[in-house]
Amino acid sequence: MPEVVPEVTMLEQEPRPHGWEPTRDPEEPHRLAAFLRAHREHLLEDWKRSAHELHSRHAGCETLMEPLPALLDGITEALAHETHGIPLQLPGVLSDVHALARLSQGFGLHELTQEYALLRSCIFRRLQASAIHPAPGTLGLLDELIDQAVTRAAQSYARLKERTLNAFDGMMQAALGSPDEDTLLQRLLTLLMESALRVDAAIILLRENGTLRVRAAMGLEAEKLVGLRTRVGEGFAGQVAAERRPLAVRSASTDPLLKEEALAHLGLHALYGLPLMDGEQLFGVAYMGSRTAYAFSEADTLLFRIMASRATALIVQAQLRAREQAAREEAQRSLAMVDTLLATSPVGIAFLDPELRYLRINQTLAGINNHPAEQHLGRTIHEMMPPSVLPLIEPLLRRVLETGKPSRSFELTMPPGVDRLQGRTWVTNFYPVRTQPGEMLGVGCVVLDITAHKQAEQALERALSFREQLLAVLGHDLRNPLGAISASAFLLSRTEGLGERELQAVERILRSGSRMAKLIDDILDFARSRLGGGIPVTPQRMNMGEVCRTALEELQVTFPERQILFEVQGDTWGEWDPDRVAQVLSNLVFNALQHGREDAPVRTTLSDAGTHVLLEVHNQGVPIPEELLPRIFDPFKRRPEDQRPHEGKSGARSLGLGLHIVQQIALSHQGQVEVRSSAQEGTRFTVRWPRLAH
């Protein structure tokens, strides 16, 4: 639709002699004002298009139009109310707002003044396009108004820029010396109070653990608020944080946002707060308050925004410095602890980089290399490690670097006649050293000298071997005199005319000889198990039930006062050594009689288990101590009560070989033995006998 323009008539003046002041139509400025009103939207559009071309290098050009409509309307109103050739003065706030907006957007002063030139040009072009030619005097009024705006804007721009530069300089001074965070916050608030006369109180809250905590406050006893917390969304500061945009409050003392806030008692009339943002992350909230003003000026709020933006960066830097300092101190403490550990540890410790250069080493390991610890640092293993050790260790280190897997418990013994390390033995462990994300930093080494341990172990083995050989010799050599004693006692028992006391003495000799024979048998079996690869067995086809019944009948004769029960379930035929089976059963039942309750039976059960036959011996009584169970089958392992005299329990033995021999006989038959013991269920030994000998 074609533009409808109200008819405006402008009078052109005839040429006059030089120096003669023309008589101007007093209505002409009013008609120019009407023209500006009629073409307002077109003028703004023309100016916007030209301004975008002028400021194309700036980001955020979409906000260029914000101050212009009010400025154009102010010029129009000034022309409309002109009297006697003197237009009204433009409100200074219009130019101030324009200057503040451009300063906050990063525009220079020359760019600001060019915008007024663009406005003048847009008006003249629109007049020319409408074929309207105002008189020079009227255009002079327009020029005067625009010049007023340019002058005021330039002055405001320069004044605010000076304040901003002074504030920046003060902020840089506040950050000098890398102060801690709390000191920096107090300096920044002091600077704000000095830069804005209307500010009576200022507060900075930082986000901590999901809440906002007052970290610094100044003015009107606001310092008492330090440490208080508020939730996001609660109160004025919480609302600023929740909306993440600047908020202003007038008559703050009665505003509902402060109704229950600790700040209400300060009696502030105006509040202005804004969020402190680190990128997209809410960092905190800063706000200022005034008792003397009911609203802050645009200049004050702009300066506050600029200072808050720069302050955020300074606070973030201070926090980064604090974290860096804390990390550095923690690293120093960790290094001190590592150094102490390295220096005092009897274990050799070292850290090497991927090039196998020493980064850390303690004197224990350095002594093996025969060099001081400090000489190792920065040098490779080829430079520091003894030639006799290097070819053994280097492949292990490189394998750890290549695979990223540790090499554990590698035993290294130096052969005799090599160098000063001959005969020494170490256990070495090598492991990868990584950062938290998994980057390989190098190899850690732990070396333990076990030479003394090895020597003690060898001495112990020699002593044990000697003991076992001695036991075997003693057991064998004791058989002949024991046989003579037993045979002589048997002949004495057949002699007629012996009195009752003499017969009892002979019977004691026979019983003692029998017990001694069993002890010698145990000693010889133990010696065979240790020296000859296990207790020898001669398997043959047999019925285990019959063998066990015969052995139990003999035990019942020896212990007539005790109840010995026997039960057979299923097929009990197989290939075993009958003498060894009887020996196992005898040892287990004898153990049960010795440790079980005298008023409770000893129960033996023989059952068919498919490819195996199970032999179980059960008794009630004091359970085997839990700490003894894992070692119950070790040789010479006795219960505590076995080490005390036994009253009323004849036939007690104390060598502690019976259960060990039971286990060895079971192993010789490719079987196994286990035990369970508790106060509720009693003690049960179970032997698994494979039916076929392998």
Side-chain angles (χ1 to χ4, degrees), residues 163-179 183-185 187-192 194-195 306-318 321:
R163 289 180 65 188
T164 303
L165 291 176
N166 289 336
F168 283 171
D169 182 65
M171 296 176 79
M172 292 302 100
Q173 293 293 327
L176 285 178
S178 301
T183 302
L184 176 63
L185 292 175
R187 290 180 181 178
L188 293 176
L189 287 185
T190 301
L191 180 62
L192 174 62
E194 293 173 351
S195 301
I306 294 173
M307 292 181 65
S309 175
R310 183 62 59 90
T312 300
L314 294 176
I315 296 170
V316 169
Q317 290 176 5
R321 284 196 305 270

Side-chain angles (χ1 to χ4, degrees), residues 534-557:
I535 294 178
V537 295
T538 306
Q540 62 186 54
R541 183 74 176 167
M542 58 166 280
N543 186 340
M544 188 176 291
E546 295 178 358
V547 173
C548 291
R549 190 181 303 277
T550 301
L552 290 174
E553 288 173 354
E554 294 176 358
L555 284 168
Q556 187 67 76
V557 172

Side-chain angles (χ1 to χ4, degrees), residues 136-189:
T138 302
L139 293 178
L141 291 176
L142 178 62
D143 287 338
E144 183 181 343
L145 290 171
I146 294 177
D147 289 343
Q148 285 181 24
V150 172
T151 302
R152 179 63 180 259
Q155 292 173 345
S156 297
Y157 183 96
R159 186 168 54 253
L160 186 57
K161 187 168 185 179
E162 182 180 4
R163 289 180 65 188
T164 303
L165 291 176
N166 289 336
F168 283 171
D169 182 65
M171 296 176 79
M172 292 302 100
Q173 293 293 327
L176 285 178
S178 301
D180 60 71
E181 188 176 354
D182 290 329
T183 302
L184 176 63
L185 292 175
Q186 284 300 123
R187 290 180 181 178
L188 293 176
L189 287 185

Side-chain angles (χ1 to χ4, degrees), residues 104-130:
S104 64
Q105 292 168 334
F107 288 75
L109 179 59
H110 67 287
E111 293 173 309
L112 172 67
T113 57
Q114 282 180 323
E115 290 186 359
Y116 289 95
L118 285 179
L119 178 60
R120 191 194 316 266
S121 177
C122 289
I123 294 174
F124 285 171
R125 284 200 302 269
R126 180 61 60 174
L127 287 169
Q128 186 176 6
S130 302

Side-chain angles (χ1 to χ4, degrees), residues 561-577:
E561 73 281 1
R562 300 295 297 274
Q563 186 178 10
I564 302 175
L565 304 180
F566 181 54
E567 180 181 357
V568 179
Q569 301 172 357
D571 181 13
T572 59
W573 281 88
E575 294 186 10
W576 306 286
D577 186 326

Side-chain angles (χ1 to χ4, degrees), residues 28-347:
E28 194 167 286
H30 302 164
R31 286 193 288 270
L32 179 56
F35 174 84
L36 295 179
R37 288 195 189 97
H39 294 270
R40 180 178 184 274
E41 299 304 322
H42 294 91
L43 289 171
L44 293 175
E45 188 63 33
D46 292 345
W47 183 89
K48 180 180 179 181
R49 186 165 47 252
S50 300
H52 273 279
E53 294 176 359
L54 175 64
H55 303 310
S56 58
R57 67 180 183 86
H58 284 277
C61 288
E62 62 275 3
T63 61
L64 286 174
M65 289 296 296
E66 290 179 359
L68 190 67
L71 180 62
L72 181 59
D73 292 342
I75 293 174
T76 301
E77 291 302 313
L79 287 170
H81 293 83
E82 178 269 348
T83 56
H84 304 293
I86 303 175
L88 294 177
Q89 294 292 316
L90 279 176
V93 67
L94 298 177
S95 298
D96 293 344
V97 170
H98 189 197
L100 294 175
R102 295 301 178 256
L103 180 61
S104 64
Q105 292 168 334
F107 288 75
L109 179 59
H110 67 287
E111 293 173 309
L112 172 67
T113 57
Q114 282 180 323
E115 290 186 359
Y116 289 95
L118 285 179
L119 178 60
R120 191 194 316 266
S121 177
C122 289
I123 294 174
F124 285 171
R125 284 200 302 269
R126 180 61 60 174
L127 287 169
Q128 186 176 6
S130 302
I132 299 175
H133 305 285
T138 302
L139 293 178
L141 291 176
L142 178 62
D143 287 338
E144 183 181 343
L145 290 171
I146 294 177
D147 289 343
Q148 285 181 24
V150 172
T151 302
R152 179 63 180 259
Q155 292 173 345
S156 297
Y157 183 96
R159 186 168 54 253
L160 186 57
K161 187 168 185 179
E162 182 180 4
R163 289 180 65 188
T164 303
L165 291 176
N166 289 336
F168 283 171
D169 182 65
M171 296 176 79
M172 292 302 100
Q173 293 293 327
L176 285 178
S178 301
D180 60 71
E181 188 176 354
D182 290 329
T183 302
L184 176 63
L185 292 175
Q186 284 300 123
R187 290 180 181 178
L188 293 176
L189 287 185
T190 301
L191 180 62
L192 174 62
M193 299 283 288
E194 293 173 351
S195 301
L197 297 178
R198 296 182 179 182
V199 176
D200 297 314
I203 297 176
I204 294 178
L205 303 91
L206 298 184
R207 193 169 188 177
E208 298 177 3
N209 301 322
T211 62
L212 296 170
R213 185 167 77 93
V214 178
R215 291 292 303 274
M218 184 170 292
L220 301 179
E221 299 183 352
E223 295 85 353
K224 297 179 180 179
L225 304 179
V226 173
L228 296 181
R229 293 181 180 271
T230 185
R231 295 186 180 90
V232 174
E234 293 184 358
F236 178 69
Q239 195 68 27
V240 173
E243 298 187 18
R244 299 196 176 193
R245 65 182 181 88
L247 292 179
V249 173
R250 295 189 178 189
S251 299
S253 58
T254 60
D255 192 277
L257 287 177
L258 291 175
K259 186 175 181 181
E260 299 180 0
E261 229 181 47
L263 195 61
H265 76 281
L266 299 180
L268 299 175
H269 296 304
L271 274 179
Y272 182 81
L274 48 82
L276 304 178
M277 304 295 295
D278 183 17
E280 296 296 322
Q281 183 180 3
L282 178 67
F283 185 77
V285 171
Y287 61 97
M288 56 182 179
S290 176
R291 270 185 179 177
T292 57
Y294 285 87
F296 288 105
S297 67
E298 291 289 338
D300 289 337
T301 57
L302 175 61
L303 182 62
F304 188 56
R305 289 196 300 271
I306 294 173
M307 292 181 65
S309 175
R310 183 62 59 90
T312 300
L314 294 176
I315 296 170
V316 169
Q317 290 176 5
Q319 290 187 340
L320 289 176
R321 284 196 305 270
R323 286 195 289 268
E324 180 182 356
Q325 179 64 24
R328 187 180 298 110
E329 292 174 356
E330 180 63 27
Q332 290 174 349
R333 286 193 295 269
S334 299
L335 285 176
M337 289 187 287
V338 169
D339 289 339
T340 302
L341 176 64
L342 289 174
T344 59
S345 175
V347 178

